[in-house]
Amino acid sequence: MSSELVPIEVHRDRVLAASHRLPTETVPLVDALGRVLADDVTSRFELPPWDNSGMDGYAVRFTDLGSPSPEHPTVLDVVADLPAGTGLDPALGSGQAARIMTGAPVPSDADTVIPLELTDQGTVRVSIEGGRPLGAHVRRRAEDRAVGDLIARAGTRLSSRAVSALASAGHASADVVRRPRVAVIATGSELVAPGESIGRGQIPDSNSLLVAGLVTETGALVVSAERVADDVDALAAAVERAEAVADVVVLTGGVSVGAYDPVKALFTGSATIQFAKVSMQPGKPQAFGTLPGGALVFGLPGNPVSVWISFDVFVRPALLTLLGQSDVLRPVVSAVATEGWRTPGGRTQYLPGRIGDDGSGRTITPASKRGSGSHLVGSLAGANGYAIVDPSVAEVHAGDTVSVVEVEQR
Ligand SMILES: Nc1nc2c(c(=O)[nH]1)N[C@H]1C(S)=C(S)[C@@H](COP(=O)(O)OP(=O)(O)OC[C@H]3O[C@@H](n4cnc5c(N)ncnc54)[C@H](O)[C@@H]3O)O[C@H]1N2
Ligand code: MOO
């Protein structure tokens, strides 16, 4: 690892240059929520498919309506009854109307719908006591989409709203990008399973859950997760198992310069895996590259806050690129600091925080009184985003405007 700090964008560009969209698969719409569209989707149907009523009422010929009022109602003969789902198209002659329900096709001879509140609701003859303009309450065929119009673009992550639009447009399935398969390996001889009692020197393995959760939140699949001690042979075997089942292998811990850092030991000298000191805090030591079979491999620094930030800044954009999503970087917005904090200086600081709103705009409050220390795992529960502070800033003061990223909806 060169001692020179690598700019964050340079490291991320390396990662993105090695990340390529995965192949397409077809899934039924019931399974499409959260998947990313592989191709543009256009409408197979006109939307709406026919002129239909926007109100429960009466379909009339506008020329028959006159200027009705409670004192001088217009009376029409009701010659048809049209519930939603009917396929009828009854002929309407002069002085005739059809009772019609919302969503039912408007007869070809009618051009206007009168809501039933303006009538006596008659079923043989209807007395209309108020007028409506020509075309009122008729939802026109194809006014929303014509056949061939765009419904959703390639690269769209399918929301429930998008899935419903695809269904309405005549689709039963969607062509989506295959989900990346991700294997998680946490390294560290100090690690025990969550819930186990800990002896001196031991800690619960929280990174496995953190990475697996972040992978799932990104829309990828966790195919394996294991813990290995700081032992190069054990790690080599775990990486081999991971590579056999995964497109991406995410390792945590062991990338620094310590005497027992197994990731460093295993990959040093590899032609396809690079170690870098990235100009960020937390998250400085990073490993990235490809394994012999082609899987991407990330070696994230073991401190839990470093894992979260490194994942968000490097792994998430890579997974989204594999997923074919069009936007892979999170929007950076502004917020006002409710409290001050110190920065490390010299590296871009990522400070976990609680992003809120004080009524006059977005705010950020540090998740820990101790700032952006990479070991402050307890503070992660209260963070819903982070501030990004320029290396030139020595201290942030209450009231300062800073750049922030929100990772969760408030
Ligand atoms: N002499 C130097 N020491 C360190 C440097 C340096 O430049 N020179 N860099 C520091 C920085 S910055 C970081 S970040 C860490 C990264 O170290 P490693 O990636 O080798 O991580 P570990 O030493 O394995 O662990 C660091 C820390 O995180 C805890 N940890 C690890 N895995 C887990 C897990 N699965 N769940 C919860 N906690 C975990 C571990 O116990 C350590 O406390 O290196 C600095 N040192
Ligand atoms: O860069 Mo390390 O990730 O600060 O603690």
Side-chain angles (χ1 to χ4, degrees):
M1 173 160 36
S2 133
S3 59
E4 207 165 296
L5 289 179
V6 174
I8 296 159
E9 295 70 26
V10 170
H11 189 68
R12 184 156 55 202
D13 285 350
R14 277 181 197 156
V15 169
L16 293 180
S19 306
H20 306 289
R21 193 179 101 161
L22 293 171
T24 300
E25 62 189 14
T26 302
V27 295
L29 287 189
V30 286
D31 297 326
L33 183 66
R35 304 297 300 269
V36 178
L37 278 181
D39 301 304
D40 289 354
V41 175
T42 57
S43 195
R44 296 181 58 233
F45 293 163
E46 292 175 310
L47 298 180
W50 8 260
D51 291 358
N52 73 101
S53 179
M55 286 282 194
D56 298 326
Y58 294 84
V60 303
R61 299 149 44 116
F62 183 72
T63 50
D64 289 345
L65 201 54
S67 306
S69 66
E71 296 75 35
H72 302 287
T74 297
V75 178
L76 301 174
D77 292 330
V78 180
V79 298
D81 193 22
L82 304 173
T86 184
L88 295 177
D89 185 4
L92 297 188
S94 175
Q96 295 184 331
R99 193 167 77 137
I100 191 165
M101 298 299 133
T102 305
V106 173
S108 304
D109 291 339
D111 53 22
T112 303
V113 170
I114 305 299
L116 57 79
E117 292 86 340
L118 297 180
T119 74
D120 67 353
Q121 303 190 29
T123 53
V124 178
R125 275 152 52 92
V126 63
S127 179
I128 298 172
E129 301 183 345
R132 278 288 187 265
L134 174 65
H137 307 303
V138 178
R139 306 187 295 202
R140 292 283 170 208
R141 177 166 69 89
E143 72 178 9
D144 182 2
R145 291 290 191 280
V147 170
D149 278 358
L150 184 70
I151 298 290
R153 286 199 183 287
T156 300
R157 163 104 32 155
L158 289 173
S159 62
S160 43
R161 297 169 301 286
V163 172
S164 84
L166 263 57
S168 303
H171 297 277
S173 61
D175 291 342
V176 296
V177 181
R178 179 168 77 66
R179 285 183 159 133
R181 295 180 293 240
V182 183
V184 182
I185 302 174
T187 69
S189 297
E190 70 277 34
L191 304 176
V192 301
E196 272 182 28
S197 55
I198 51 173
R200 182 175 167 79
Q202 295 183 312
I203 54 167
D205 166 22
S206 60
N207 285 345
S208 296
L209 289 168
L210 174 61
V211 173
L214 293 168
V215 166
T216 305
E217 284 169 11
T218 308
L221 287 173
V222 178
V223 289
S224 67
E226 58 176 309
R227 253 185 312 280
V228 291
D230 290 326
D231 175 282
V232 180
D233 293 335
L235 179 62
V239 169
E240 210 166 291
R241 284 192 292 277
E243 199 192 1
V245 293
D247 305 297
V248 179
V249 180
V250 181
L251 304 153
T252 68
V255 292
S256 189
V257 294
Y260 306 100
D261 284 337
V263 177
K264 192 71 189 289
L266 181 63
F267 295 135
T268 294
S270 157
T272 57
I273 299 170
Q274 276 186 308
F275 289 86
K277 287 183 178 168
V278 182
S279 183
M280 60 196 288
Q281 188 286 315
K284 183 177 69 169
Q286 297 284 338
F288 173 71
T290 48
L291 293 166
L296 300 181
V297 60
F298 291 86
L300 308 183
N303 283 302
V305 183
S306 312
V307 170
W308 175 41
I309 296 297
S310 307
F311 188 98
D312 208 67
V313 174
F314 302 120
V315 186
R316 180 177 179 276
L319 293 180
L320 292 180
T321 302
L322 266 61
L323 270 167
Q325 192 167 307
S326 29
D327 305 318
V328 304
L329 299 183
R330 293 192 189 272
V332 178
V333 294
S334 295
V336 172
T338 60
E339 297 167 18
W341 66 83
R342 298 195 62 76
T343 73
R347 291 188 267 163
T348 299
Q349 181 189 40
Y350 287 82
L351 176 110
R354 186 85 210 155
I355 295 167
D357 196 310
D358 66 0
S360 59
R362 199 181 287 109
T363 58
I364 181 159
T365 303
S368 167
K369 295 282 178 204
R370 300 201 57 82
S372 57
S374 57
H375 62 296
L376 300 169
V377 64
S379 66
L380 287 181
N384 63 353
Y386 49 82
I388 307 174
V389 185
D390 194 80
S392 62
V393 176
E395 188 168 355
V396 172
H397 300 97
D400 285 355
T401 297
V402 293
S403 297
V404 299
V405 164
E406 278 189 83
V407 301
E408 254 163 38
Q409 298 284 329
R410 273 177 275 148

